Amino acid sequence: MTAQDPAGATPSHAIREQIRSDVELGRTEEVVTRFPPEPNGHLHIGHALSICLNFGMAAEFSGRCNLRFDDTNPLREDQAYIDAIQRDVAWLGFSWSGEARYASDYFEQLYAWAQHLIDTGHAYVDDLSAEDIRAWRGTLTEPGRDSPWRNRSADESLALFRRMRDGDFPDGARVLRARIDMASGNINLRDPVLYRILHAEHPRTGRRWCIYPTYDFAHGQSDAIEGVSHSLCTLEFADHRPLYDWLLEHLPVPSRPRQYEFAKLALSHTILSKRRLTRLVEDGHVQDWDDPRLATLSGLRRRGVPPAALREFVSRLAVSRNEGVVDIAMFEHVLRDTLNRSAERRMAVLRPLKVVIESFEEGRTDWLEAANHPADPDAGTRQVPFSREVWIERDDFMEDPPRRFHRLAPGREVRLRYGYLITCTEVVRDASGNVTELRCRHDPASRGGTAPDGRKVRGTIHWVSAAHAVDAEVRLYGPLVTTATPGATGDFVDDLDRASLEILRGCKLEPVLAGASGPVPVQFERLGYFSIDPDSAPGAPVYNQTVSLRDSWAKDRAKS
Ligand code: ATP
Ligand code: MG
């Protein structure tokens, strides 16, 4: 995976070219792909690449794409994951062909095919333990050794295989192996295990089975049953392809799928492996699978990332066999770009400082018109209340500002966006000298923000009327890990940034935000993009920062 120029056009790739030529030369009648998650965790942004590729190729060539759960290991799988994965794929914007499918739907057929392999001399029941099988398999430089059971008769293997299914043996007592080549240069061909005994409850088949096919035995055959034409998978399966083909050649399968590989997406400053994500959740380093700091699809959704931004990001990646790390800044760039176009603008003050406009009548409310999107007149306008007391951002005031500070300071004039020009006349302090309030006067003729005499006012700041403000909690997020490749030197958990979540309470929102619902992000002017969190209660909204306006942390990181 290598990143394209973020502004570049959608790159083509070898998989698309392969499919195109298969279609053009008549080798493929219908393009059928599948997305095959194992329901043992939640989907993450890496899976989004696989999803967009599989569904995208099917759509592009007027074919279909299945969703198939690779549920062959009952020890780690769960119905909750199955439900969450379906939710996530649908949220990303894809609909699979027909019902969701399951490798476990094919257990009976797979069992029959295993018997066929035994019958034809291509498989045998082995009594070696798992450790012995591993030890006897050899290494890259040494051939493997034949199991003493390798030449067992087909009849004996068939009878034992039957008894394995009937539950006559404990876990690990025997396995079914393909009889291929113990001296093969490809270790996957050294009599790979096809079935193992596992007395475990399966989320779908319950206790019906106590033997389960391996990934290798289930995957290609499931593809063949579904008529998959192009089985797209990540590079770690390239060495399994000879076995994938061998099994299809030795079985009376109804179709001949082919496997093609591409490199996994790796993102800097991001944890993607399911094993690591599971640890983060189980050890309480994050709140849950949908913690907005995680790159799980549910976390990204909760953070406010629109599915369109994910699809756009993925489409700008070069699908290839090159393993590289994509800079998270590229994702954020695409995210900002998408949100800049789609998000409506609102005003919110995150770290409030009270401003009393002494020249403005007490009790009066002025309703001002504000554009919902500066570049999109169709987005319309809204009315924003203005009154004698407003909140501004603490950062937008400095008592002793440097020359280039164009915001509020004693004696200086600033524009309240869509409102009035105000000048700071007095600074109020508490007993310990902290600024608690500013006193200002306004120019009544500057309603809307322009001075009647054309005088220049350089600074424009956002504000919220104190009498109308809605109090909110706002959660700011930094990257969860401090290093580009977490765990590169040691345990990845040591690279977690304990300050990656900052919770601000008593933030002030303009009143239209009181009724906001749904995860559609808005831009808080001058601050960033924010999206309402499901923790919100009526009258007590909670917002998540989706992404800041400027690329501040990427810059910081470049410096360090
Ligand atoms: P992980 O490596 O994160 O534990 P996995 O590969 O075990 O994930 P699966 O449920 O087996 O997860 O993945 C379903 C599909 O998604 C597979 O085809 C897999 O190759 C693909 N996939 C997984 N991770 C990535 C990634 N980072 N980039 C692209 N595709 C991925
Ligand atoms: Mg996997």
Side-chain angles (χ1 to χ4, degrees), residues 239-260:
D239 289 344
H240 295 240
R241 177 153 34 96
L243 175 56
Y244 182 99
D245 290 336
W246 185 93
L247 287 165
L248 294 173
E249 273 156 30
H250 290 82
L251 289 170
V253 288
S255 79
R256 256 324 284 280
R258 297 212 169 264
Q259 175 181 306
Y260 301 92

Side-chain angles (χ1 to χ4, degrees), residues 224-243:
I225 291 169
E226 295 178 7
V228 167
S229 60
H230 295 79
S231 182
L232 312 179
C233 65
T234 38
L235 273 180
E236 72 270 25
F237 294 104
D239 289 344
H240 295 240
R241 177 153 34 96
L243 175 56

Side-chain angles (χ1 to χ4, degrees), residues 45-104:
I45 193 168
H47 294 111
L49 169 65
S50 177
I51 294 168
C52 291
L53 181 64
N54 278 291
F55 283 93
M57 288 301 99
E60 199 171 315
F61 294 95
S62 311
R64 58 193 162 87
C65 180
N66 294 344
L67 173 63
R68 184 206 311 144
F69 290 97
D70 171 24
D71 56 345
T72 52
N73 184 354
L75 297 180
R76 297 187 305 179
E77 294 161 7
D78 199 318
Q79 184 63 40
Y81 295 131
I82 295 177
D83 298 338
I85 288 170
Q86 301 198 42
R87 232 179 1 256
D88 288 348
V89 175
W91 171 74
L92 247 194
F94 297 104
S95 26
W96 47 92
S97 165
E99 298 288 308
R101 293 148 213 260
Y102 300 85
S104 56

Side-chain angles (χ1 to χ4, degrees), residues 339-340 343-347 371-374 382 523 525 529:
L339 291 173
N340 181 38
E344 293 205 345
R345 275 48 170 176
R346 297 288 182 263
M347 290 199 284
N372 287 330
H373 196 297
R382 66 189 187 285
Q523 185 192 96
E525 296 217 24
Y529 298 95

Side-chain angles (χ1 to χ4, degrees), residues 49 55 166 186 240 265 319 348 390-391 458 476 495 502:
L49 169 65
F55 283 93
D166 289 345
N186 183 335
H240 295 240
L265 168 65
V319 178
V390 300
W391 298 107
R458 294 186 64 180
L476 304 178
D495 295 342
E502 185 182 358

Side-chain angles (χ1 to χ4, degrees), residues 191-204:
D191 292 11
V193 172
L194 306 181
Y195 267 91
R196 65 254 194 251
I197 302 172
L198 275 178
H199 292 270
E201 173 117 5
H202 185 283
R204 292 185 56 85

Side-chain angles (χ1 to χ4, degrees), residues 130-177:
E131 297 96 84
D132 283 342
I133 290 179
R134 213 170 305 124
W136 291 34
R137 195 182 289 140
T139 63
L140 285 174
T141 49
E142 271 171 63
R145 274 197 288 150
D146 284 6
S147 161
W149 312 103
R150 193 171 199 264
N151 292 318
R152 194 167 240 169
S153 74
D155 284 346
E156 194 186 339
S157 278
L158 274 176
L160 284 171
F161 189 46
R162 170 92 239 166
R163 291 183 58 202
M164 281 168 63
R165 177 182 181 163
D166 289 345
D168 284 358
F169 309 119
D171 286 3
R174 295 187 157 86
V175 293
L176 182 73
R177 299 177 72 177

Side-chain angles (χ1 to χ4, degrees), residues 38 40 70 215 236-237 264 274:
E38 185 179 357
N40 63 350
D70 171 24
Y215 168 88
E236 72 270 25
F237 294 104
K264 276 194 168 179
K274 273 196 241 176

